[in-house]
Amino acid sequence: KKIIYAPHHSLKGTNGDHIEYATFLELGEAMLQLAKKYSDETQWAFKPHPTLYPKLLKIWGKEKTDNYYNEWRDMENSQLELGEYYGLFKHSDAMIHDSCSFIIEYMYMNLPVMFLEESPRTPEQLQAGPFGYEAYGSHYHGSSALDIENFILSVINGKDPKLAERRSYCQLYLNLDSKKTACENIITEILNN
């Protein structure tokens, strides 16, 4: 199974109030160890937010930061991806992240996805209306290495209890079943409103 790990850069003390979602300092090492543990069953793409690296340099220093990134780059079952992510999404089987942008963007794949967090978020904390908050609700949620491992095992074993919930969300908000182009859907939506 191909799994994307996409940590955000909003580490505590480095962003404004209510925009500190990143769980990397708490869970980044566990993610690396789980990728190693399940190396026979999984392929990984480490897709960090571009701003994570310079922030880690200030917190960890260059040697530790580079060693971490290089481990993802050098393992046989993983890659370090610093470029675009569209191809990663298309060829993935699941994603684990803590990025508010990806809450909606990965929903188009209709694949298992886990949002990492210390505690559940409210719509206000996510700065999301019903559209965004329902997408968030269609995610699995994890706050520990055990939560992440259980999600990975579910992906490996093809178990996806949130599949129907995601399908419903996609039909309601994303028009994935439409035979029209995105442009035609936008025009239809404008004319209907």
Side-chain angles (χ1 to χ4, degrees):
K1 298 291 183 173
K2 298 177 190 95
I3 304 173
I4 301 166
Y5 172 42
H8 200 248
H9 69 87
S10 54
L11 304 168
K12 286 183 184 63
T14 68
N15 270 41
D17 289 342
H18 307 294
I19 314 171
E20 294 181 328
Y21 301 116
T23 58
F24 181 82
L25 294 176
E26 296 79 18
L27 298 172
E29 188 58 39
M31 290 297 306
L32 184 59
Q33 296 311 314
L34 288 166
K36 291 176 182 178
K37 181 175 181 177
Y38 293 100
S39 62
D40 290 340
E41 297 96 348
T42 58
Q43 289 288 317
W44 290 82
F46 175 54
K47 176 63 177 113
H49 190 285
T51 309
L52 180 62
Y53 182 82
K55 288 185 177 184
L56 285 177
L57 289 176
K58 292 177 182 175
I59 296 168
W60 279 359
K62 184 163 177 46
E63 183 178 356
K64 183 174 180 178
T65 302
D66 285 348
N67 286 343
Y68 184 87
Y69 274 59
N70 290 339
E71 280 202 69
W72 283 103
R73 184 194 68 210
D74 296 339
M75 285 190 306
E76 287 187 23
N77 69 317
S78 70
Q79 69 187 65
L80 170 61
E81 185 54 61
L82 302 175
E84 291 296 325
Y85 55 87
Y86 305 114
L88 286 179
F89 281 21
K90 182 177 181 181
H91 299 288
S92 67
D93 294 301
M95 183 165 71
I96 300 170
H97 73 97
D98 54 9
S99 168
C100 285
S101 299
F102 285 166
I103 288 175
I104 300 293
E105 291 178 32
Y106 199 72
M107 289 300 289
Y108 281 94
M109 304 312 302
N110 197 16
L111 293 168
V113 56
M114 173 175 266
F115 189 81
L116 299 175
E117 59 196 343
E118 287 184 11
S119 60
R121 302 282 178 168
T122 65
E124 295 77 27
Q125 289 171 317
L126 287 173
Q127 299 177 0
F131 174 72
Y133 197 66
E134 286 181 42
Y136 165 82
S138 298
H139 279 56
Y140 297 91
H141 299 265
S143 59
S144 69
L146 181 60
D147 293 340
I148 297 165
E149 185 167 21
N150 287 335
F151 176 74
I152 293 167
L153 288 170
S154 293
V155 171
I156 290 169
N157 295 317
K159 297 184 190 242
D160 186 6
K162 288 205 171 257
L163 176 61
E165 189 175 339
R166 281 195 320 276
R167 276 189 184 146
S168 175
Y169 177 88
C170 290
Q171 288 174 335
L172 180 63
Y173 289 111
L174 305 181
N175 292 326
L176 293 183
D177 295 330
S178 175
K179 302 294 183 214
K180 297 178 184 178
T181 67
C183 210
E184 290 169 326
N185 283 329
I186 291 169
I187 291 168
T188 300
E189 187 69 23
I190 290 170
L191 293 175
N192 286 341
N193 286 328

